[in-house]
Amino acid sequence: QVQLVESGGGLVQAGGSLRLSCAASGGTFSSYAMNWFRQAPGKERAFVAAISWSGSNTYYANSVKGRFTISRDNAKNTVYLQMNSLNPEDTAVYYCAADRSGGRIRGYLYDMDYWGNGTLVTVSS
């Protein structure tokens, strides 16, 4: 019974920043790779960022590289996504997901074992 709960979404102007959080419970958080995905209106769910179990390795989609930063605090069972320089193309529901293969950060949707319900990020022009 692993539960992931995202928070921090909202409305922001282009060029602004948001920090998303994902709080985990019911599992061994520190052994999981953690990932962020997003689903924009009319599009398929897409990979955003991943972080290995220890936080020592990260991987980003090219579309967010240099703008977004994924991090984790295993003592708090929480993973974060700092989003800077947002643009309207970043508008999406952002989902937190856990992969029990803790060192795997390749960003494949079908690798994920647990999902949160998402938090909406809307970036206005």
Side-chain angles (χ1 to χ4, degrees):
Q1 191 184 354
V2 173
Q3 186 170 328
L4 305 174
V5 180
E6 303 94 336
S7 62
L11 176 65
V12 64
Q13 293 186 65
S17 298
L18 283 175
R19 189 181 75 158
L20 306 183
S21 298
C22 172
S25 62
T28 308
F29 176 81
S30 60
S31 72
Y32 303 156
M34 297 300 299
N35 298 254
W36 289 96
F37 290 79
R38 66 186 182 185
Q39 189 163 19
K43 295 187 179 295
E44 297 295 315
R45 194 168 298 187
F47 171 75
V48 176
I51 187 166
S52 61
W53 67 273
S54 67
S56 61
N57 296 99
T58 58
Y59 175 58
Y60 298 92
N62 288 335
S63 59
V64 307
K65 192 173 298 182
R67 299 188 297 122
F68 291 10
T69 302
I70 189 170
S71 62
R72 68 191 297 160
D73 186 341
N74 285 347
K76 296 181 178 180
N77 287 357
T78 301
V79 64
Y80 305 95
L81 185 68
Q82 178 66 47
M83 305 186 294
N84 299 326
S85 301
L86 287 162
N87 59 64
E89 288 68 49
D90 296 314
T91 294
V93 176
Y94 283 71
Y95 297 91
C96 176
D99 182 356
R100 290 177 294 179
S101 295
R104 184 162 61 192
I105 56 169
R106 64 186 185 181
Y108 288 13
L109 186 148
Y110 45 79
D111 287 336
M112 303 300 106
D113 295 298
Y114 310 107
W115 291 89
N117 291 133
T119 185
L120 177 63
V121 172
T122 303
V123 184
S124 63
S125 301

mmCIF file with all atom_site columns, all heavy atoms in Angstrom, residues 7-23:
data_model
loop_
_atom_site.group_PDB
_atom_site.id
_atom_site.type_symbol
_atom_site.label_atom_id
_atom_site.label_alt_id
_atom_site.label_comp_id
_atom_site.label_asym_id
_atom_site.label_entity_id
_atom_site.label_seq_id
_atom_site.pdbx_PDB_ins_code
_atom_site.Cartn_x
_atom_site.Cartn_y
_atom_site.Cartn_z
_atom_site.occupancy
_atom_site.B_iso_or_equiv
_atom_site.pdbx_formal_charge
_atom_site.auth_seq_id
_atom_site.auth_comp_id
_atom_site.auth_asym_id
_atom_site.auth_atom_id
_atom_site.pdbx_PDB_model_num
ATOM 1   N N   . SER A 1 7  ? 1.821  17.848 -4.451  1.00 0.00 ? 7  SER A N   1
ATOM 2   C CA  . SER A 1 7  ? 1.309  19.153 -4.069  1.00 0.00 ? 7  SER A CA  1
ATOM 3   C C   . SER A 1 7  ? 2.183  20.229 -4.697  1.00 0.00 ? 7  SER A C   1
ATOM 4   O O   . SER A 1 7  ? 3.267  19.951 -5.194  1.00 0.00 ? 7  SER A O   1
ATOM 5   C CB  . SER A 1 7  ? 1.272  19.311 -2.548  1.00 0.00 ? 7  SER A CB  1
ATOM 6   O OG  . SER A 1 7  ? 2.570  19.224 -1.992  1.00 0.00 ? 7  SER A OG  1
ATOM 7   N N   . GLY A 1 8  ? 1.705  21.458 -4.672  1.00 0.00 ? 8  GLY A N   1
ATOM 8   C CA  . GLY A 1 8  ? 2.483  22.589 -5.143  1.00 0.00 ? 8  GLY A CA  1
ATOM 9   C C   . GLY A 1 8  ? 2.099  23.126 -6.499  1.00 0.00 ? 8  GLY A C   1
ATOM 10  O O   . GLY A 1 8  ? 2.651  24.146 -6.935  1.00 0.00 ? 8  GLY A O   1
ATOM 11  N N   . GLY A 1 9  ? 1.173  22.472 -7.177  1.00 0.00 ? 9  GLY A N   1
ATOM 12  C CA  . GLY A 1 9  ? 0.736  22.975 -8.461  1.00 0.00 ? 9  GLY A CA  1
ATOM 13  C C   . GLY A 1 9  ? -0.080 24.245 -8.319  1.00 0.00 ? 9  GLY A C   1
ATOM 14  O O   . GLY A 1 9  ? -0.500 24.622 -7.221  1.00 0.00 ? 9  GLY A O   1
ATOM 15  N N   . GLY A 1 10 ? -0.294 24.902 -9.435  1.00 0.00 ? 10 GLY A N   1
ATOM 16  C CA  . GLY A 1 10 ? -1.064 26.128 -9.429  1.00 0.00 ? 10 GLY A CA  1
ATOM 17  C C   . GLY A 1 10 ? -0.888 26.891 -10.716 1.00 0.00 ? 10 GLY A C   1
ATOM 18  O O   . GLY A 1 10 ? -0.381 26.376 -11.709 1.00 0.00 ? 10 GLY A O   1
ATOM 19  N N   . LEU A 1 11 ? -1.306 28.143 -10.688 1.00 0.00 ? 11 LEU A N   1
ATOM 20  C CA  . LEU A 1 11 ? -1.228 29.037 -11.832 1.00 0.00 ? 11 LEU A CA  1
ATOM 21  C C   . LEU A 1 11 ? -0.019 29.947 -11.686 1.00 0.00 ? 11 LEU A C   1
ATOM 22  O O   . LEU A 1 11 ? 0.175  30.569 -10.636 1.00 0.00 ? 11 LEU A O   1
ATOM 23  C CB  . LEU A 1 11 ? -2.505 29.867 -11.937 1.00 0.00 ? 11 LEU A CB  1
ATOM 24  C CG  . LEU A 1 11 ? -2.559 30.926 -13.026 1.00 0.00 ? 11 LEU A CG  1
ATOM 25  C CD1 . LEU A 1 11 ? -2.510 30.281 -14.404 1.00 0.00 ? 11 LEU A CD1 1
ATOM 26  C CD2 . LEU A 1 11 ? -3.823 31.760 -12.868 1.00 0.00 ? 11 LEU A CD2 1
ATOM 27  N N   . VAL A 1 12 ? 0.770  30.044 -12.739 1.00 0.00 ? 12 VAL A N   1
ATOM 28  C CA  . VAL A 1 12 ? 1.957  30.887 -12.724 1.00 0.00 ? 12 VAL A CA  1
ATOM 29  C C   . VAL A 1 12 ? 2.116  31.530 -14.095 1.00 0.00 ? 12 VAL A C   1
ATOM 30  O O   . VAL A 1 12 ? 1.717  30.960 -15.111 1.00 0.00 ? 12 VAL A O   1
ATOM 31  C CB  . VAL A 1 12 ? 3.208  30.061 -12.344 1.00 0.00 ? 12 VAL A CB  1
ATOM 32  C CG1 . VAL A 1 12 ? 3.498  28.994 -13.392 1.00 0.00 ? 12 VAL A CG1 1
ATOM 33  C CG2 . VAL A 1 12 ? 4.415  30.950 -12.118 1.00 0.00 ? 12 VAL A CG2 1
ATOM 34  N N   . GLN A 1 13 ? 2.682  32.725 -14.121 1.00 0.00 ? 13 GLN A N   1
ATOM 35  C CA  . GLN A 1 13 ? 2.943  33.403 -15.389 1.00 0.00 ? 13 GLN A CA  1
ATOM 36  C C   . GLN A 1 13 ? 4.186  32.843 -16.057 1.00 0.00 ? 13 GLN A C   1
ATOM 37  O O   . GLN A 1 13 ? 5.090  32.327 -15.402 1.00 0.00 ? 13 GLN A O   1
ATOM 38  C CB  . GLN A 1 13 ? 3.122  34.901 -15.163 1.00 0.00 ? 13 GLN A CB  1
ATOM 39  C CG  . GLN A 1 13 ? 1.883  35.623 -14.695 1.00 0.00 ? 13 GLN A CG  1
ATOM 40  C CD  . GLN A 1 13 ? 2.094  37.115 -14.643 1.00 0.00 ? 13 GLN A CD  1
ATOM 41  O OE1 . GLN A 1 13 ? 2.299  37.760 -15.677 1.00 0.00 ? 13 GLN A OE1 1
ATOM 42  N NE2 . GLN A 1 13 ? 2.043  37.670 -13.445 1.00 0.00 ? 13 GLN A NE2 1
ATOM 43  N N   . ALA A 1 14 ? 4.230  32.960 -17.373 1.00 0.00 ? 14 ALA A N   1
ATOM 44  C CA  . ALA A 1 14 ? 5.418  32.553 -18.119 1.00 0.00 ? 14 ALA A CA  1
ATOM 45  C C   . ALA A 1 14 ? 6.653  33.240 -17.548 1.00 0.00 ? 14 ALA A C   1
ATOM 46  O O   . ALA A 1 14 ? 6.632  34.433 -17.244 1.00 0.00 ? 14 ALA A O   1
ATOM 47  C CB  . ALA A 1 14 ? 5.253  32.885 -19.594 1.00 0.00 ? 14 ALA A CB  1
ATOM 48  N N   . GLY A 1 15 ? 7.712  32.464 -17.408 1.00 0.00 ? 15 GLY A N   1
ATOM 49  C CA  . GLY A 1 15 ? 8.938  32.961 -16.818 1.00 0.00 ? 15 GLY A CA  1
ATOM 50  C C   . GLY A 1 15 ? 9.038  32.743 -15.327 1.00 0.00 ? 15 GLY A C   1
ATOM 51  O O   . GLY A 1 15 ? 10.119 32.913 -14.754 1.00 0.00 ? 15 GLY A O   1
ATOM 52  N N   . GLY A 1 16 ? 7.946  32.348 -14.713 1.00 0.00 ? 16 GLY A N   1
ATOM 53  C CA  . GLY A 1 16 ? 7.923  32.146 -13.280 1.00 0.00 ? 16 GLY A CA  1
ATOM 54  C C   . GLY A 1 16 ? 8.380  30.774 -12.861 1.00 0.00 ? 16 GLY A C   1
ATOM 55  O O   . GLY A 1 16 ? 8.824  29.958 -13.675 1.00 0.00 ? 16 GLY A O   1
ATOM 56  N N   . SER A 1 17 ? 8.253  30.511 -11.566 1.00 0.00 ? 17 SER A N   1
ATOM 57  C CA  . SER A 1 17 ? 8.740  29.268 -10.976 1.00 0.00 ? 17 SER A CA  1
ATOM 58  C C   . SER A 1 17 ? 7.703  28.653 -10.053 1.00 0.00 ? 17 SER A C   1
ATOM 59  O O   . SER A 1 17 ? 6.864  29.351 -9.472  1.00 0.00 ? 17 SER A O   1
ATOM 60  C CB  . SER A 1 17 ? 10.009 29.518 -10.159 1.00 0.00 ? 17 SER A CB  1
ATOM 61  O OG  . SER A 1 17 ? 11.062 30.013 -10.963 1.00 0.00 ? 17 SER A OG  1
ATOM 62  N N   . LEU A 1 18 ? 7.779  27.346 -9.918  1.00 0.00 ? 18 LEU A N   1
ATOM 63  C CA  . LEU A 1 18 ? 7.002  26.594 -8.956  1.00 0.00 ? 18 LEU A CA  1
ATOM 64  C C   . LEU A 1 18 ? 7.852  25.451 -8.433  1.00 0.00 ? 18 LEU A C   1
ATOM 65  O O   . LEU A 1 18 ? 8.723  24.958 -9.146  1.00 0.00 ? 18 LEU A O   1
ATOM 66  C CB  . LEU A 1 18 ? 5.732  26.003 -9.574  1.00 0.00 ? 18 LEU A CB  1
ATOM 67  C CG  . LEU A 1 18 ? 4.530  26.903 -9.830  1.00 0.00 ? 18 LEU A CG  1
ATOM 68  C CD1 . LEU A 1 18 ? 3.456  26.101 -10.567 1.00 0.00 ? 18 LEU A CD1 1
ATOM 69  C CD2 . LEU A 1 18 ? 3.979  27.449 -8.523  1.00 0.00 ? 18 LEU A CD2 1
ATOM 70  N N   . ARG A 1 19 ? 7.571  25.018 -7.220  1.00 0.00 ? 19 ARG A N   1
ATOM 71  C CA  . ARG A 1 19 ? 8.184  23.816 -6.690  1.00 0.00 ? 19 ARG A CA  1
ATOM 72  C C   . ARG A 1 19 ? 7.105  22.816 -6.340  1.00 0.00 ? 19 ARG A C   1
ATOM 73  O O   . ARG A 1 19 ? 6.234  23.095 -5.514  1.00 0.00 ? 19 ARG A O   1
ATOM 74  C CB  . ARG A 1 19 ? 9.041  24.097 -5.455  1.00 0.00 ? 19 ARG A CB  1
ATOM 75  C CG  . ARG A 1 19 ? 9.850  22.863 -5.032  1.00 0.00 ? 19 ARG A CG  1
ATOM 76  C CD  . ARG A 1 19 ? 10.687 23.092 -3.799  1.00 0.00 ? 19 ARG A CD  1
ATOM 77  N NE  . ARG A 1 19 ? 9.882  23.106 -2.586  1.00 0.00 ? 19 ARG A NE  1
ATOM 78  C CZ  . ARG A 1 19 ? 10.356 22.862 -1.367  1.00 0.00 ? 19 ARG A CZ  1
ATOM 79  N NH1 . ARG A 1 19 ? 11.656 22.596 -1.209  1.00 0.00 ? 19 ARG A NH1 1
ATOM 80  N NH2 . ARG A 1 19 ? 9.560  22.913 -0.318  1.00 0.00 ? 19 ARG A NH2 1
ATOM 81  N N   . LEU A 1 20 ? 7.169  21.656 -6.959  1.00 0.00 ? 20 LEU A N   1
ATOM 82  C CA  . LEU A 1 20 ? 6.251  20.572 -6.662  1.00 0.00 ? 20 LEU A CA  1
ATOM 83  C C   . LEU A 1 20 ? 6.862  19.649 -5.620  1.00 0.00 ? 20 LEU A C   1
ATOM 84  O O   . LEU A 1 20 ? 8.078  19.455 -5.579  1.00 0.00 ? 20 LEU A O   1
ATOM 85  C CB  . LEU A 1 20 ? 5.930  19.765 -7.917  1.00 0.00 ? 20 LEU A CB  1
ATOM 86  C CG  . LEU A 1 20 ? 5.402  20.542 -9.125  1.00 0.00 ? 20 LEU A CG  1
ATOM 87  C CD1 . LEU A 1 20 ? 5.065  19.565 -10.248 1.00 0.00 ? 20 LEU A CD1 1
ATOM 88  C CD2 . LEU A 1 20 ? 4.199  21.384 -8.751  1.00 0.00 ? 20 LEU A CD2 1
ATOM 89  N N   . SER A 1 21 ? 6.015  19.073 -4.799  1.00 0.00 ? 21 SER A N   1
ATOM 90  C CA  . SER A 1 21 ? 6.440  18.098 -3.808  1.00 0.00 ? 21 SER A CA  1
ATOM 91  C C   . SER A 1 21 ? 5.637  16.822 -3.979  1.00 0.00 ? 21 SER A C   1
ATOM 92  O O   . SER A 1 21 ? 4.486  16.850 -4.418  1.00 0.00 ? 21 SER A O   1
ATOM 93  C CB  . SER A 1 21 ? 6.233  18.630 -2.386  1.00 0.00 ? 21 SER A CB  1
ATOM 94  O OG  . SER A 1 21 ? 6.996  19.788 -2.152  1.00 0.00 ? 21 SER A OG  1
ATOM 95  N N   . CYS A 1 22 ? 6.234  15.712 -3.630  1.00 0.00 ? 22 CYS A N   1
ATOM 96  C CA  . CYS A 1 22 ? 5.562  14.422 -3.634  1.00 0.00 ? 22 CYS A CA  1
ATOM 97  C C   . CYS A 1 22 ? 5.919  13.713 -2.346  1.00 0.00 ? 22 CYS A C   1
ATOM 98  O O   . CYS A 1 22 ? 7.089  13.363 -2.131  1.00 0.00 ? 22 CYS A O   1
ATOM 99  C CB  . CYS A 1 22 ? 5.983  13.596 -4.851  1.00 0.00 ? 22 CYS A CB  1
ATOM 100 S SG  . CYS A 1 22 ? 5.381  11.893 -4.842  1.00 0.00 ? 22 CYS A SG  1
ATOM 101 N N   . ALA A 1 23 ? 4.937  13.509 -1.499  1.00 0.00 ? 23 ALA A N   1
ATOM 102 C CA  . ALA A 1 23 ? 5.132  12.840 -0.219  1.00 0.00 ? 23 ALA A CA  1
ATOM 103 C C   . ALA A 1 23 ? 4.728  11.383 -0.337  1.00 0.00 ? 23 ALA A C   1
ATOM 104 O O   . ALA A 1 23 ? 3.630  11.069 -0.813  1.00 0.00 ? 23 ALA A O   1
ATOM 105 C CB  . ALA A 1 23 ? 4.317  13.527 0.864   1.00 0.00 ? 23 ALA A CB  1
#
